[in-house]
Amino acid sequence: MKLFPLWLVFFFLFSVHSECFAGDFGFLLNQKLLLSGGEESSTEYTGSAIPWFSSPLGDRADFYLSGGISAHYDDEAWKPLPEIYRFEFIYNPSPDLRVEFGRLPFRESLSYVASGLFDGLAAGYNINGGRFSAGLFYTGLLYKKAAYIFMSPDDKNDLADTDKYFASRRIIAALNWEKTSVFDTRSGLALSGLCQFDLNDSGTTIHSQYLEAKFTLPLGAAFNTVSGVVIETAKESGRVFAAFALSLDVQWLPPGGVQDMVTFTGRFSSGDWNGRWGAFVPISAEAQGRVLRPVLSGIALVEAFYTARLCRALAADVSASYYFRTDTGTYDATGIGDSASPLVGAEVYGGVSWSPYSDVLLSLGAGAFFPGTGRAFSDDSKIKYRVEMTAGISL
């Protein structure tokens, strides 16, 4: 961390193109303003300066590095946040084999269990019209709010602790296989197997394993379906249990001259039902929804989403969602009452993005969650809202 400013200065000085180097340089400037309210209101602002560098290493290898420092405003205080985003060595010993080492982007088939940047080693191999990939990763050197590992009560406490920078210490091993044309049709199949081992020395530990399948089936020229299932087994402080998650997306391309799409989505994750069946616990907690943003754990939802490209530079989207609880204890939020009802409530969200040039992007999104449309929140709970404004430029 003490050497991070020197690293940043080095890349700032060389963040322009130069004929003296075989590599490529660039600089990203991002700003994000977030306003949220309801039972609790907050204002957050993050401005990031991100230099990056890439270069070939001979005929079969490549190198990529990006990182930066952010100025983050939250709780009426400014905080500097240095972070290395990607640090990647890529080696291609043959056209079908790819080996990577460093801080790598990785996701499993459905992106419900683990997705994002991870430190480690990965390899991919094309075989018989499909692709097989494997990875071994460590999470303890990642920034905690980028990794967002949210598995145990200790993880949740560490995430709220402003004095802690690094994420929960876990080892992840993963295998993926995908084939985009099954039986010479337009259908696709992807299978994944993952396991993670808790290396934290806290009182609560959780180890887990996952088997996952994703199936894509086109229905004519205008419709496409994507279905998925994840089976989990876990051991948490001596308790062994099973869990699962299910999903179904139906995508429709309406006729007409506008480039648009309608998506109907369903998600279901098991709750803490008994000694054998527990709440589904992903490794990295990807938010479901835009305003309420629950984790896919003890939660189910249905959503209708519409997106359209209005012209070359302007796109818009709007969504409506309804949330359910699959148990009464896993999902917890400010304002949750004593009701045992599974009905959580509805939210709406809309956004626009404008990109007049390929290296400039401006976006605005806003939405609200209405606790009165369900029964899980207390009767006096306030409407929750969320407004996001972002601006990015690439130099």
Side-chain angles (χ1 to χ4, degrees):
M1 288 301 170
K2 293 180 179 179
L3 295 177
F4 194 90
L6 297 178
W7 178 90
L8 183 62
V9 169
F10 173 81
F11 275 92
F12 178 78
L13 293 175
F14 291 94
S15 61
V16 294
H17 295 279
S18 172
E19 296 181 357
C20 299
F21 297 91
D24 197 10
F25 304 86
F27 203 81
L28 304 177
L29 295 174
N30 290 333
Q31 297 184 78
K32 180 178 180 179
L33 177 63
L34 171 62
L35 307 174
S36 59
E39 302 297 330
E40 300 175 346
S41 299
S42 67
T43 300
E44 297 182 34
Y45 167 81
T46 303
S48 304
I50 307 171
W52 60 269
F53 168 76
S54 66
S55 175
L57 302 175
D59 296 333
R60 297 185 178 182
D62 295 280
F63 171 74
Y64 183 89
L65 175 63
S66 69
I69 188 167
S70 300
H72 183 72
Y73 177 83
D74 189 14
D75 295 331
E76 300 182 352
W78 288 94
K79 303 172 186 177
L81 293 173
E83 186 178 358
I84 296 177
Y85 297 107
R86 284 179 61 190
F87 179 69
E88 189 170 3
F89 290 95
I90 304 170
Y91 178 55
N92 297 282
S94 71
D96 292 325
L97 179 61
R98 178 186 178 99
V99 180
E100 302 170 87
F101 172 79
R103 180 160 293 181
L104 318 172
F106 179 83
R107 58 181 292 272
E108 25 72 46
S109 304
L110 292 167
S111 298
Y112 293 159
V113 177
S115 61
L117 293 173
F118 298 97
D119 295 327
L121 176 69
Y125 185 67
N126 299 323
I127 181 172
N128 295 330
R131 181 168 180 80
F132 175 81
S133 60
L136 182 65
F137 307 106
Y138 175 66
T139 64
L141 298 176
L142 301 169
Y143 174 51
K144 62 181 182 180
K145 290 191 176 180
Y148 213 75
I149 297 174
F150 207 63
M151 301 192 71
S152 69
D154 298 306
D155 292 344
K156 300 173 186 179
N157 294 334
D158 289 345
L159 198 64
D161 187 347
T162 57
D163 294 330
K164 288 186 176 291
Y165 178 91
F166 294 108
S168 177
R169 298 188 298 117
R170 298 176 184 274
I171 292 288
I172 301 173
L175 297 174
N176 288 336
W177 178 81
E178 58 182 339
K179 188 174 177 60
T180 55
S181 178
V182 179
F183 303 120
D184 294 326
T185 68
R186 292 187 297 151
S187 301
L189 177 64
L191 303 174
S192 297
L194 298 92
C195 60
Q196 69 82 27
F197 306 95
D198 194 339
L199 302 182
N200 298 291
D201 53 5
S202 57
T204 302
T205 60
I206 179 170
H207 310 290
S208 53
Q209 302 81 39
Y210 308 85
L211 289 177
E212 180 177 309
K214 172 184 175 182
F215 185 64
T216 303
L217 177 64
L219 301 176
F223 287 90
N224 186 55
T225 64
V226 182
S227 56
V229 57
V230 186
I231 303 296
E232 174 189 7
T233 59
K235 181 178 181 180
E236 181 177 6
S237 298
R239 178 198 175 195
V240 178
F241 63 90
F244 67 91
L246 306 171
S247 68
L248 175 64
D249 293 346
V250 179
Q251 302 163 340
W252 173 45
L253 299 175
V258 179
Q259 298 181 34
D260 57 352
M261 183 171 69
V262 179
T263 303
F264 301 98
T265 295
R267 304 276 189 272
F268 185 94
S269 61
S270 61
D272 195 359
W273 295 331
N274 52 48
R276 292 185 176 181
W277 290 100
F280 178 73
V281 183
I283 299 173
S284 55
E286 183 174 345
Q288 305 295 311
R290 309 291 292 274
V291 181
L292 195 62
R293 303 176 65 82
V295 176
L296 190 63
S297 181
I299 283 288
L301 65 96
V302 291
E303 179 186 68
F305 178 83
Y306 175 77
T307 182
R309 179 163 294 280
L310 305 179
C311 62
R312 183 192 64 82
L314 186 65
D317 62 79
V318 62
S319 63
S321 309
Y322 197 93
Y323 301 98
F324 307 85
R325 293 186 296 180
T326 57
D327 66 25
T328 58
T330 300
Y331 175 67
D332 189 21
T334 303
I336 291 285
D338 297 329
S339 171
S341 173
L343 305 178
V344 176
E347 77 171 37
V348 294
Y349 193 92
V352 293
S353 61
W354 181 53
S355 181
Y357 306 100
S358 59
D359 49 7
V360 176
L361 176 64
L362 304 173
S363 65
L364 171 65
F369 169 77
F370 304 93
T373 57
R375 297 181 180 179
F377 285 84
S378 57
D379 294 337
D380 58 350
S381 294
K382 299 179 181 179
I383 294 175
K384 303 179 186 295
Y385 67 86
R386 183 181 177 93
V387 180
E388 296 180 76
M389 292 172 278
T390 60
I393 183 171
S394 175
L395 302 176

